[in-house]
Every structure is written in C-alpha cells, then in structure tokens.
Amino acid sequence: MHAYQRDFLDLALRRDALRFGEFTLKSGRISPYFFNAGRFDSGADLAALGSAYAASVLASDIGFDMLFGPAYKGIPLAAATAVTLATKYDRNVPVAYNRKEAKAHGEGGMLIGAPLAGRVLIVDDVITAGTAIRESLALIHAHGATPCGVLIALDREERGQSTLSAAQEVSAEFSIPVLAIARLTELLTLTQNNPTLALHHARLAEYRQQYGV
Ligand code: OMP
C-alpha cells in the first residue's frame, strides 16, 4: 500500500467518512461499511483530499485538459483537486460541474464553470455499481467533449454485470482508466493489520466474497 493510500484511509476513518455497521446501498446491497465523502467538511480535510486526488492522477499517465465534478459530492472534490494542482504543481486546469436540475432563469442550463471541452477527467467519490459514473460519462459525451478517465476516492471493487468489477466494466466499455486513491483491497489490508478493526475485517472479507471480484 502506498503512503498516500494509508494517509487517505486513516483520514477517512478519523473523520468518520468511513464507517462500519449495516448500510443499504443505492444498489440495494446491504454493506458492512459505507464511505461518506460529505464528512470531509473542513478546509484542512479538503486540502488533504485534494492532495491525495492530485497525487493519484499525477502518478498515473492520464493526460487531461480539465476536471469535471458531478453533483453533488464531486463538486468540492474536483475543486479541491484543481486548487492542489494549481498551488502545488503549477498546473492550472479548468473545472466544471453540473446541477441536478436544470435552471431556467439567470444563466440557465445544467453546467457551471468552464465549458466542457477536450479531455475531461471525472473526479468523484466512490464507485459501487457504476451508475453515477455512467451518468457523468453520458453528460460529457452529450456536450461533445471526451472523457479521458475517472478519478475516485474509493473503489468498492464490487461485481458489475459480468465477472469484472463495475469500475473495470466502465474502463473496458469506454476505453478509459478508472483510478482510485484506495480500494476495498487496501481497506482490507488496513483492517487486517489493526487488531481493533479485526471484527470489521471479517465482515468486509465476507462481503467481498458475496459481491466482490
Ligand atoms: P454507484 O452509482 O452504484 O456506482 O454508486 C455510487 C454512489 O453510491 C455514490 O455516488 C453515493 O451516492 C453512493 N454510495 C456512497 O456514497 N458510499 C458508499 O460507500 C456506497 C454508496 C452506494 O450507495 O453504493
């Protein structure tokens, strides 16, 4: 596990963004853990998160022209990543995000920020079944731009429609990389090596058996 992955998971646990218990997911699956990026709710948290996203994308060879943060949780994540890229890496990239409902007055429309153009990197929180990401991909295509990758905080590594994970299916179908700061794999490693999280580890491993790849 990379240092930035451990730092990210430690921060998520400290901030209760990663919780253990019993949670019903959008897919209807009952999960022993849940990732809530909304718990990163201070300037320091967002700065740490922006650094983790930026480190992940720069460690990859994804070429991108701009960032897109899907409403709602992707919005501050894309903004934090853009701030880090500009302030820490001297790379000033445009940022766009969407509304969930079109606005008929004022400037109107579904999109806010920079016009979608060129190679667009989607910055979001988590992938389970891939539904949310597919919506973003459709929106980017509809605006004539080219999705070039997906950057998320956590890949839950759950089975999609095939034997592949939802993230792998999205990657294969759209021919783009799907990058995660951390995956269920790293969370399993972290919980395995921490005696106070042993019980959770067993439940995570069982869940992975049932729904994972
Ligand atoms: P998919 O659209 O199934 O990939 O699930 C992603 C969405 O599920 C996220 O954008 C959240 O709305 C929600 N979610 C979480 O936020 N955290 C989790 O740990 C799991 C889910 C989920 O419902 O699967």
Side-chain angles (χ1 to χ4, degrees):
M1 175 163 18
H2 296 291
Y4 70 81
Q5 294 179 310
R6 180 173 293 277
D7 289 348
F8 163 70
L9 289 174
D10 283 344
L11 175 71
L13 287 168
R14 264 199 326 276
R15 302 296 293 121
D16 268 348
L18 253 179
R19 287 171 55 213
F20 301 106
E22 197 175 285
F23 305 92
T24 303
L25 304 184
K26 199 162 96 179
S27 58
R29 294 175 183 172
I30 309 288
S31 166
Y33 76 108
F34 193 81
F35 176 67
N36 177 6
R39 296 307 302 259
F40 297 112
D41 57 3
S42 71
D45 290 347
L46 287 169
L49 218 53
S51 293
Y53 276 105
S56 303
V57 72
L58 294 177
S60 78
D61 55 3
I62 301 181
F64 59 96
D65 300 312
M66 65 177 295
L67 306 181
F68 174 71
Y72 296 100
K73 289 194 180 152
I75 297 173
L77 302 176
T81 306
V83 169
T84 306
L85 288 171
T87 53
K88 221 167 150 180
Y89 299 98
D90 198 22
R91 174 120 195 244
N92 188 22
V93 294
V95 195
Y97 45 99
N98 64 316
R99 295 180 211 283
K100 290 240 179 185
E101 285 169 23
K103 188 174 159 189
H105 59 283
E107 76 278 16
M110 292 291 288
L111 286 174
I112 307 168
L116 285 177
R119 297 166 301 170
V120 184
L121 178 68
I122 300 170
V123 182
D124 208 356
D125 54 351
V126 59
I127 286 188
T128 304
T131 316
I133 288 300
R134 282 170 199 278
E135 286 167 12
S136 294
L137 289 164
L139 190 125
I140 292 166
H141 280 302
H143 283 80
T146 310
C148 64
V150 178
L151 176 62
I152 49 168
L154 184 70
D155 180 0
R156 295 178 53 103
E157 298 184 300
E158 295 190 23
R159 259 195 317 278
Q161 305 297 312
S162 64
T163 52
L164 297 176
S165 74
Q168 289 167 334
E169 285 179 351
V170 166
S171 179
E173 187 180 332
F174 295 90
S175 300
I176 52 170
V178 177
L179 278 183
I181 301 171
R183 304 162 300 170
L184 177 58
T185 300
E186 282 77 42
L187 183 57
L188 279 163
T189 306
L190 190 89
T191 50
Q192 186 170 32
N193 296 333
N194 183 334
T196 59
L197 297 175
L199 178 65
H200 301 310
H201 175 78
R203 294 200 177 125
L204 292 179
E206 207 176 294
Y207 183 76
R208 184 178 194 141
Q209 276 294 110
Q210 199 176 356
Y211 294 116
V213 285

